[in-house]
Amino acid sequence: MSVSTGHGGADTAESNKPGPPHGRGRGSRALVVMSIAALGVVFGDIGTSPLYALKTVFLLDGGAVRANEGDVFGVISLMFWSITIIVSIKYLGILMRADNDGEGGVMALAALAQRLYAKRANRAGMLLVIGIVGVSLFYGDSIITPAISVLSAVEGLQVTVPAVAHLIVPISAVILIILFAVQRFGTGKVGVLFGPVMVLWFVVLAAAGLGMVIQYPSVLLGLSPTYAVVFIVQHPAISFIALGAVVLVITGAEALYADMGHFGRSPIRRAWFFLVFPALTINYLGQAALILHHPAAKANPFFLLIPEWGRLPVVILATVATVIASQAVISGAFSLTRQAVQLGLLPPLTIRQTSKREGGQIYLPAVNALLFIGVMTVMLAFGSSERLSTAYGISVTGALVVDTLLLVLVARPLWQWAPWKIAAAAIVFGGLELAFLAGNLPKILNGGWVPLLIAAAVITVMTTWRRGRQLVQEDRKTKEGSLAEFIEDVRAQNLPRVPGIGIFPHPNKDSTPLALRANVKHNHVLHEHVIIVSITTAPVPHVPTWEAYAYDDLGYVDDGIEHLTIRFGFSDEPDIPRALRAACYVGVLPLDADDFKEASYFISRGAIRTTKKTGMVRWRRSLFIALAHNAADPAARFGLPALRTVTMGSDVEI
């Protein structure tokens, strides 16, 4: 007999969704606050590209792109329409509608696609592989973005205070150390702190560019798409080179999508269209006008656009803004990593919820540490933003192409798009992004191999963990056996029962926990009460106590062997002992809450041993075992008392 105190997964999730705010004013204020916080996390990467994007275009290949009207207008047109098509239309207009329980990013999109194609196993597997490639490329971007962003801002000191040029790398290192150190406080708090700074940053961007646009209004002609077409037709070789740098204006688009779970769709869209997009456009136009009328300014058009008296304050502001740019990809990496863990592509990691209201605001200590090591390594190895720009772009464009591929695949089942609309999206988005990717391929030999190497390492880890996990589950399934058959066998043996409660965390109620089998096999006894506990996470912040449990006596009311499913919200602390006591208070468990003060907990975990079985080569087996040994401790994750928790089980073979 099974008794559920809730209404089922979908109904419960719906019933617990926060309702609309009381009063229109309060809702509007909350939306403004969230939009400002989003500015402090989501738009840092794409918002600081004016520091280096246009400069890189005109310095590429010894100045192949000239400071004449045709080239300048052509480049500006390419930049404006790239941002419009890829960021405004593809990501903000379309992809943000393809969320997975409020989460964005390539892994959420791949998981959504898998769900839509669940009945077609071959395609579902292919979609997962595509998602792995996409998230791996994003990690490559996450390593390079903080390094190039902070370096490009601090290098502004060379324009204002040339004597400190030798301190640029040490200053950048100190800034990055502080940035990664504050991640533990959560993206929400970081966003509230950084949001007003980014508002000021975008206002400064617009103000700096507006003066030149007013002085040379003809630069507005560069917004016409005809100039981009003419530039490409007249200078195909030069435009191909330019594409390798033009892509820098859209770096951060994937991070923007991945960060959607932190703040939601509406605040991000409002911040983009009301402030970020206009400010970026005006600043790029201002830089273009400066280069056109003062060609020598192409060496550093952003800082030379600023009056001399304001350059030092803007260097300081730019440095803070690039720290925020790094925040965008760091928080995006946190979100994608959690999604990868949930999909079984990475081992369980320690995940700390940093907000009581927003499920997407999380902190992963292990990921934070690995990103910090990677960022510092590439920054010290390359030493300048100009050298680092040669490694930038490949992972970004690769991630964009992967997102478009997944978009094309989900559009029909998700939104019932007509074939012509799917074809148009593939041609417009995919064609532009493939052109960017091709333009970045020459960078591979000059540093572009770095993000590809990072992506290859991530792919290796994910595929190894996924395959190893499958082999372990197959072996465990054989060893665990049916729970129903185990109970029948135990009843037939009439084993001695000892006083107390034995609790066995286990993913389901179909198979037998290894720890339970080991306890019976070696100790030949059972506790008076045996409770098998399964944990699930609902896509809501909190699950009320009366809806959090599903109880099953597993067919017999007199044998003391029971199963309990506990549903936690994403902001609930998954504390099993506390949840069990609460289940007694609401009458779900037929026990007294005080009985759990001396309860024993048994974790099913055996040593993983390598064998000569086929299915995985030796070095990958060793990698899987290393990953498993470093997975988060389940006892700590579920709040189990250390002195009353026992790890038992049998060896698992791969």
Side-chain angles (χ1 to χ4, degrees):
M1 182 179 74
S2 177
V3 179
S4 175
T5 59
H7 306 291
D11 293 339
T12 304
E14 187 67 32
S15 66
N16 284 287
K17 287 181 179 177
H22 299 291
R24 186 172 180 178
R26 185 183 302 176
S28 299
R29 286 195 300 273
L31 189 56
V32 170
V33 171
M34 287 297 288
S35 297
I36 293 174
L39 282 169
V41 173
V42 176
F43 295 105
D45 190 3
I46 200 168
T48 53
S49 50
L51 284 166
Y52 49 80
L54 202 60
K55 174 181 73 173
T56 304
V57 172
F58 285 94
L59 294 181
L60 267 180
D61 204 28
V65 181
R66 304 294 181 184
N68 56 47
E69 185 174 289
D71 286 11
V72 171
F73 284 3
V75 168
I76 283 297
S77 182
L78 277 173
M79 287 183 163
F80 174 76
W81 287 102
S82 296
I83 296 174
T84 300
I85 293 171
I86 293 178
V87 182
S88 297
I89 299 176
K90 174 187 162 181
Y91 279 100
L92 274 297
I94 299 174
L95 269 181
M96 277 201 168
R97 293 162 52 208
D99 66 288
N100 188 19
D101 289 329
E103 291 284 355
V106 65
M107 287 310 303
L109 189 57
L112 176 63
Q114 275 192 295
R115 204 161 64 217
L116 294 172
Y117 289 95
K119 295 181 180 179
R120 301 170 67 175
N122 58 337
R123 180 163 290 190
M126 178 194 69
L127 292 168
L128 185 61
V129 172
I130 293 172
I132 290 173
V133 172
V135 74
S136 300
L137 290 168
F138 182 83
Y139 281 118
D141 182 30
S142 300
I143 295 293
I144 296 179
T145 293
I148 192 173
S149 298
V150 173
L151 276 172
S152 63
V154 179
E155 284 170 353
L157 290 172
Q158 291 177 319
V159 178
T160 55
V161 191
V164 299
H166 64 288
L167 295 176
I168 287 174
V169 171
I171 292 172
S172 300
V174 171
I175 291 170
L176 288 169
I177 289 171
I178 295 172
L179 171 66
F180 282 96
V182 301
Q183 293 303 312
R184 68 184 69 244
F185 300 111
T187 51
K189 294 182 177 66
V190 172
V192 171
L193 176 66
F194 285 165
V197 176
M198 288 307 292
V199 171
L200 177 61
W201 170 252
F202 287 114
V203 169
V204 169
L205 285 185
L210 188 60
M212 290 300 295
V213 173
I214 292 174
Q215 190 173 351
Y216 303 106
S218 61
V219 76
L220 292 169
L221 295 172
L223 299 181
S224 170
T226 57
Y227 282 98
V229 174
V230 170
F231 178 62
I232 293 172
V233 171
Q234 291 184 348
H235 311 288
I238 294 175
S239 61
F240 180 76
I241 294 171
L243 284 176
V246 170
V247 71
L248 297 176
V249 303
I250 54 174
T251 58
E254 165 64 19
L256 180 151
Y257 178 40
D259 282 333
M260 183 171 67
H262 290 255
F263 299 99
R265 185 184 302 122
S266 185
I268 293 175
R269 282 178 172 170
R270 287 172 180 259
W272 172 258
F273 287 109
F274 287 130
L275 180 59
V276 180
F277 189 25
L280 290 175
T281 302
I282 294 171
N283 190 266
Y284 283 127
L285 287 171
Q287 290 189 48
L290 179 64
I291 291 173
L292 190 59
H293 293 88
H294 304 282
K298 67 181 182 180
N300 203 325
F302 177 82
F303 285 107
L304 292 174
L305 194 64
I306 309 295
E308 190 171 347
W309 56 265
R311 284 176 190 163
L312 186 57
V314 171
V315 167
I316 296 172
L317 179 61
T319 302
V320 177
T322 53
V323 170
I324 298 168
S326 305
Q327 180 65 53
V329 293
I330 293 170
S331 54
F334 290 164
S335 295
L336 291 180
T337 301
R338 178 171 69 173
Q339 293 164 22
V341 170
Q342 291 170 342
L343 289 171
L345 299 175
L346 288 173
L349 299 172
T350 300
I351 300 175
R352 297 176 186 168
Q353 193 72 39
T354 58
S355 170
K356 296 295 184 183
R357 298 181 59 185
E358 295 295 326
Q361 294 186 16
I362 54 176
Y363 168 64
L364 284 76
V367 175
N368 193 60
L370 289 173
L371 285 177
F372 171 69
I373 293 170
V375 169
M376 295 297 288
T377 300
V378 299
M379 186 186 70
L380 295 174
F382 285 86
S384 71
S385 63
E386 183 178 350
R387 292 180 61 195
L388 199 50
S389 66
T390 61
Y392 208 30
I394 292 180
S395 57
V396 174
T397 52
L400 297 178
V401 171
V402 169
D403 282 344
T404 295
L405 179 58
L406 291 171
L407 166 62
V408 169
L409 290 171
V410 305
R412 188 167 184 81
L414 187 61
W415 301 310
Q416 289 75 52
W417 274 18
W420 69 266
K421 188 180 289 188
I422 296 173
I427 292 170
V428 175
F429 301 142
L432 181 57
E433 290 162 357
L434 286 173
F436 281 136
L437 182 59
N440 277 277
L441 290 179
K443 295 181 177 181
I444 291 179
L445 296 178
N446 296 319
W449 57 269
V450 172
L452 294 181
L453 181 63
I454 295 169
V458 175
I459 290 173
T460 301
V461 168
M462 287 188 171
T463 54
T464 298
W465 179 259
R466 181 169 180 263
R467 179 58 181 156
R469 189 166 167 265
Q470 289 173 344
L471 294 174
V472 166
Q473 287 176 338
E474 290 171 5
D475 191 69
R476 283 190 62 161
K477 187 175 182 181
T478 302
K479 288 182 168 64
E480 287 172 350
S482 166
L483 179 59
E485 292 177 2
F486 175 80
I487 292 175
E488 294 294 340
D489 186 49
V490 166
R491 290 175 64 86
Q493 293 181 45
N494 195 25
L495 290 173
R497 308 299 287 263
V498 297
I501 303 173
I503 298 158
F504 298 81
H506 191 63
N508 58 70
K509 61 179 179 181
D510 299 319
S511 60
T512 311
L514 288 176
L516 181 56
R517 278 195 179 278
N519 191 40
V520 170
K521 179 180 179 180
H522 297 291
N523 298 325
H524 308 291
V525 295
L526 276 179
H527 284 81
E528 184 181 0
H529 296 282
V530 173
I531 304 175
I532 300 169
V533 178
S534 298
I535 302 298
T536 63
T537 303
V540 291
H542 302 285
V543 176
T545 303
W546 57 89
E547 294 182 344
Y549 303 102
Y551 172 80
D552 191 339
D553 60 20
L554 299 175
Y556 299 97
V557 296
D558 61 344
D559 63 3
I561 304 176
E562 304 149 316
H563 182 274
L564 183 70
T565 299
I566 306 176
R567 298 176 69 247
F568 290 105
F570 57 64
S571 290
D572 292 325
E573 184 180 352
D575 188 315
I576 289 180
R578 185 167 58 193
L580 289 171
R581 292 193 297 271
C584 296
Y585 290 133
V586 296
V588 175
L589 283 177
L591 296 167
D592 190 284
D594 290 337
D595 294 339
F596 286 92
K597 291 181 179 179
E598 299 300 326
S600 299
Y601 297 83
F602 297 85
I603 300 294
S604 299
R605 178 182 282 184
I608 301 176
R609 297 192 300 108
T610 60
T611 67
K612 294 183 179 180
K613 292 181 179 179
T614 58
M616 184 180 286
V617 296
R618 181 174 294 276
W619 69 267
R620 295 189 74 187
R621 292 177 190 174
S622 299
L623 174 59
F624 174 78
I625 291 173
L627 292 171
H629 286 166
N630 288 280
D633 180 15
R637 276 175 29 228
F638 297 126
L640 307 186
L643 297 179
R644 289 186 282 117
T645 300
V646 180
T647 298
M648 299 184 69
S650 58
D651 290 350
V652 179
E653 298 177 349
I654 61 170

